[in-house]
Structures are given as C-alpha cells and as structure tokens.
Amino acid sequence: MNARKVIEEVKIVPVVKIDNVSDTIPLMNALCEGGIPIAEITFRTACATEAIKIASQNFGDKMLVGAGTVINAEQAKLAVENGAKFVVSPGFGKDISDVCVAAGVAYVPGCVTPTEIMAAIACGHKIIKFFPASNYGGVATIKALSAPFGDIVFIPTGGINANNINDFLAVKSIIACGGSWMVKDSLVKEGKFDEIVKICKEARAVIGG
Ligand code: 3PG
C-alpha cells in the first residue's frame, strides 16, 4: 500500500487518540465504514503502540494505518515495528527521519517555516504536515511556501473541520487535510461509533468524495 497514493485519494487524515485499546477495532471499523480508511494513531496515550499493532494486524489490508505525535526515535521505532505505514510528527526530527528512511516508511514531518521545510527536503521528504495550520496562517501561508518549494505537498492539520476543509483542498499543493473533528475524544470514549461513521460520511460528502 503506497501511503502517499492513499492519502491523495482519501484527502482526509483522521488524527486519532485511543485511550482504551479495546476501542481500536470498532474505531477502525467506523473509519472504514465512513469512507475514510486512514488512521494517524497518536502517541498521546500509553496504549498507542498496542493500538497501532492491532489496527495494522486487523485492518492493514483495507486501510492505511500510521502513527502520529511521534516526537522521538524510540516512538518511531515502535511505530514501524508494529506496522505503521507512515509516521507523522508535530515538528521535524532528524532522529525520527533516520528511523523511517531505514525502515522504508513514509515520514511526514511538521514544518511551518522555509528552514524547517529545507531540513525535511535534505532528508528526502516531500510530504509536509503544516501544523498547527490555523495558527500559522493557513491557506495563505501554504500558498506562499509553495512558490519556492514547488515539489512539496502539504497536509495542513490543526483547526480544520467540515466548514473550512474545502478552502484548503482548493490549493494545488495541498493533497489532504488532517484533523480530529470526526474522531473526537468524547465520541470514542462514549463508544459513539455510529456517530463517527456519520461524521466521516458527511466529511466525504463535503469534499465531494
Ligand atoms: C494534530 O496533532 O494533528 C492535531 O491535534 C489535530 O488538530 P485538530 O484537533 O485541530 O484537528
């Protein structure tokens, strides 16, 4: 499964936080049923590694499972060892990049300045998470960055939802948007997986998917 291809097709990258590992399967099912077969499972909870493993083992053939909020090489190793097909970090980490390059797994670093983007390019990366998108100037900043970095594509994340996603997706260099609006903590914790399916379907409809 080519991570970039799937991300380009689906256009939405759900940023997922799993507190109870038993929520992994119903949550992955909900994302697939809702037509968004991607999960960026974040290292914001103790069970992230286990959740990535379970999601990869059970859904690896029908969805793109990746790791998010990866802030050091140790987490990157845990992510790739447990089946993550892409690794996302809030900033750029050379140590994380090294692990991903060695494993042949796509690395999507968070960059918001030209210097950060150049550091990512120097390590061979072309997909940038622009985060937190709304705080760093959103669409206007990404358009300005796309002039010198014509080869780079962006996944803006942070403050994006069904109301503004199309403003971002209208920009040529933006291949997808990330966000947590369809997988809100409260919905996962309360087991409202049907509601998650509904919000995912609405999001797909909004982007014309
Ligand atoms: C992330 O780490 O990507 C963000 O927490 C997602 O941002 P959002 O919650 O504003 O969608």
Side-chain angles (χ1 to χ4, degrees), residues 15 40 42 44 69 88 90 129 131 134 157-160 178-181:
V15 177
E40 176 187 325
T42 58
R44 293 180 200 184
T69 321
V88 182
K129 169 171 175 162
F131 171 78
S134 50
T157 307
I160 299 177
S180 65
W181 82 94

Side-chain angles (χ1 to χ4, degrees), residues 12-63:
I12 297 174
V13 179
V15 177
V16 171
K17 181 170 166 249
I18 297 176
D19 284 286
N20 297 306
V21 79
S22 58
D23 289 332
T24 309
I25 291 198
L27 182 54
M28 298 304 119
N29 263 326
L31 290 170
C32 290
E33 204 185 321
I36 307 183
I38 302 185
E40 176 187 325
I41 300 175
T42 58
F43 273 84
R44 293 180 200 184
T45 63
C47 68
T49 305
E50 189 62 15
I52 290 167
K53 185 177 181 181
I54 291 171
S56 300
Q57 282 174 350
N58 294 280
F59 293 84
D61 56 342
K62 45 185 172 287
M63 72 185 292

Side-chain angles (χ1 to χ4, degrees), residues 11-207:
K11 295 189 174 67
I12 297 174
V13 179
V15 177
V16 171
K17 181 170 166 249
I18 297 176
D19 284 286
N20 297 306
V21 79
S22 58
D23 289 332
T24 309
I25 291 198
L27 182 54
M28 298 304 119
N29 263 326
L31 290 170
C32 290
E33 204 185 321
I36 307 183
I38 302 185
E40 176 187 325
I41 300 175
T42 58
F43 273 84
R44 293 180 200 184
T45 63
C47 68
T49 305
E50 189 62 15
I52 290 167
K53 185 177 181 181
I54 291 171
S56 300
Q57 282 174 350
N58 294 280
F59 293 84
D61 56 342
K62 45 185 172 287
M63 72 185 292
L64 182 68
V65 177
T69 321
V70 172
I71 57 171
N72 55 48
E74 194 193 328
Q75 290 173 336
K77 277 186 203 138
L78 286 171
V80 300
E81 280 166 10
N82 285 283
K85 293 288 180 285
F86 66 101
V87 168
V88 182
S89 54
F92 172 72
K94 171 80 168 68
D95 53 345
I96 299 167
S97 169
D98 289 345
V99 172
C100 295
V101 170
V105 166
Y107 177 41
V108 182
C111 302
V112 291
T113 67
T115 304
E116 291 162 3
I117 293 172
M118 284 165 63
I121 291 172
C123 292
H125 307 296
K126 289 189 167 162
I127 312 174
I128 300 296
K129 169 171 175 162
F130 184 80
F131 171 78
S134 50
N135 305 71
Y136 281 97
V139 165
T141 304
I142 295 172
K143 276 187 181 166
L145 288 169
S146 297
F149 301 116
D151 241 17
I152 296 300
V153 293
F154 294 91
I155 306 177
T157 307
I160 299 177
N161 53 53
N163 297 321
N164 60 6
I165 188 168
N166 281 332
D167 298 340
F168 287 90
L169 292 179
V171 179
K172 199 169 158 271
S173 58
I174 296 178
I175 57 165
C177 290
S180 65
W181 82 94
M182 76 297 287
V183 282
K184 278 199 205 96
D185 260 15
S186 52
L187 294 176
V188 178
K189 279 188 184 149
E190 289 163 30
K192 293 188 172 160
F193 298 107
D194 290 347
E195 181 70 12
I196 291 173
V197 172
K198 191 170 151 252
I199 302 170
C200 286
K201 285 185 176 169
E202 282 165 6
R204 292 284 300 168
V206 162
I207 65 166

